């Protein structure tokens, strides 16, 4: 017998270049019960990014209409572009007992917490140093020099919000960071409040089923 439970929202935030996307991808590959929340954005696709896989790429007008129509669970402006989380897939997944991972910023984390207070567990990933972060951003090679300078300033701001998160991890080592993120997920799945079928399970257990 198993206990029916509601899904949870695992929010992973970090300054860009801290390794968040790689860790999230590894988590998704190793955790079959986990689904990625694909955000909507008004920024242009980077090389290799696919519609509906990495983001839903939308015009500012279409994005504003989604926000105004309450189709987004949260949304924020990051680097002057709109980013938001489509509501319907998240609500459907949670009701089905599936867990959802979110690659969003601190503003999205705050709003998601307010919208779904019992469903969120959050993890902030810190780089070992800001110098290392800058090196990683350059190695990625996807952004222009001005964009890197902008992202470094934003990184300092993002890092200042780390204390708002449930768990903090310094990404020294990729494999260790993935293992730690999986541990956060495993513990959150066991929270008593999420075990919606607990009473039924205990009843059956005590009846000798
Ligand atoms: P990028 O442009 O590098 O893909 O993402 C820039 C930042 O926007 C990252 O910190 C990313 O986590 C954040 N972001 C991506 N999607 C969302 C979203 O749906 N909501 C919010 N609030 N932030 C997002």
């Amino acid at each position: 017998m198993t206990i029916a439970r509601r899904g949870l929202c695992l929010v992973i935030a970090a300054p860009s270049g801290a390794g968040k996307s790689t860790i999230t991808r590894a988590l998704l590959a190793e955790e079959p019960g986990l689904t990625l929340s694909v955000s909507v954005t008004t920024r242009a696709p980077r090389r290799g990014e696919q519609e509906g896989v990495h983001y839903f790429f939308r015009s500012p007008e279409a994005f504003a209409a989604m926000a105004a129509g309450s189709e987004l669970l949260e949304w924020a402006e990051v680097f002057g572009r709109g980013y938001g989380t489509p509501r319907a897939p998240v609500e459907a997944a949670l009701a089905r007992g599936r867990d959802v991972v979110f690659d969003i910023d601190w503003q999205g984390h705050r709003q998601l917490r307010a919208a779904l207070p019992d469903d969120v567990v959050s993890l902030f990933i810190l780089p070992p140093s800001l110098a290392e972060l800058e090196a990683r951003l350059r190695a990625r090679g996807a952004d222009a020099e001005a964009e890197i300078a902008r992202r470094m300033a934003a990184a300092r701001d993002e890092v200042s919000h780390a204390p708002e998160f449930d768990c903090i991890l310094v990404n020294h080592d990729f494999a260790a960071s993935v293992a730690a993120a999986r541990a956060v997920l495993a513990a959150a799945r066991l929270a008593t409040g999420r075990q919606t079928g607990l009473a039924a399970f205990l009843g059956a257990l005590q009846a000798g089923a």
Side-chain angles (χ1 to χ4, degrees):
M1 280 199 303
T2 55
I3 307 175
R5 68 173 183 89
R6 181 168 162 81
L8 61 84
C9 298
L10 175 64
V11 175
I12 304 186
S16 52
K20 174 173 61 167
S21 304
T22 330
I23 291 170
T24 305
R25 268 202 301 275
L27 211 57
L28 284 163
E30 292 174 26
E31 295 282 353
L34 196 61
T35 314
L36 175 69
S37 167
V38 179
S39 297
V40 181
T41 184
T42 64
R43 82 152 163 77
R46 292 198 190 107
R47 207 178 319 123
E49 284 184 336
Q50 285 169 267
E51 165 72 15
V53 176
H54 299 90
Y55 281 104
F56 297 104
F57 298 97
R58 293 290 178 271
S59 67
E61 294 73 24
F63 184 90
M66 289 182 83
S70 299
E71 288 175 50
L72 302 178
L73 207 41
E74 62 77 30
W75 67 271
E77 210 176 281
V78 185
F79 310 123
R81 309 281 186 201
Y83 290 84
T85 301
R87 178 189 299 276
V90 176
E91 289 183 344
L94 297 185
R96 279 182 15 241
R98 274 192 76 84
D99 304 316
V100 186
V101 63
F102 298 77
D103 176 342
I104 60 178
D105 78 333
W106 67 270
Q107 305 174 82
H109 169 241
R110 272 195 189 169
Q111 293 176 51
L112 207 62
R113 265 237 126 92
L116 302 168
D118 299 328
D119 298 324
V120 173
V121 59
S122 62
L123 171 65
F124 197 95
I125 300 173
L126 287 167
S129 70
L130 286 179
E132 176 132 357
L133 188 77
E134 189 164 346
R136 287 184 194 170
L137 276 182
R138 283 182 196 287
R140 194 161 76 175
D143 296 313
E145 198 59 27
E147 185 67 17
I148 289 174
R150 216 144 59 103
R151 280 170 187 266
M152 283 308 293
R156 289 189 163 80
D157 181 49
E158 188 76 26
V159 160
S160 72
H161 292 282
E164 297 171 20
F165 286 70
D166 297 318
C167 305
I168 307 277
L169 156 63
V170 180
N171 184 20
H172 289 289
D173 173 79
F174 170 69
S177 296
V178 174
R182 291 187 77 184
V184 167
L185 178 62
R189 281 173 168 162
L190 298 179
T192 310
R194 296 202 173 94
Q195 316 278 333
T196 50
L198 183 61
F201 184 91
L202 291 178
L205 200 70
Q206 278 156 347

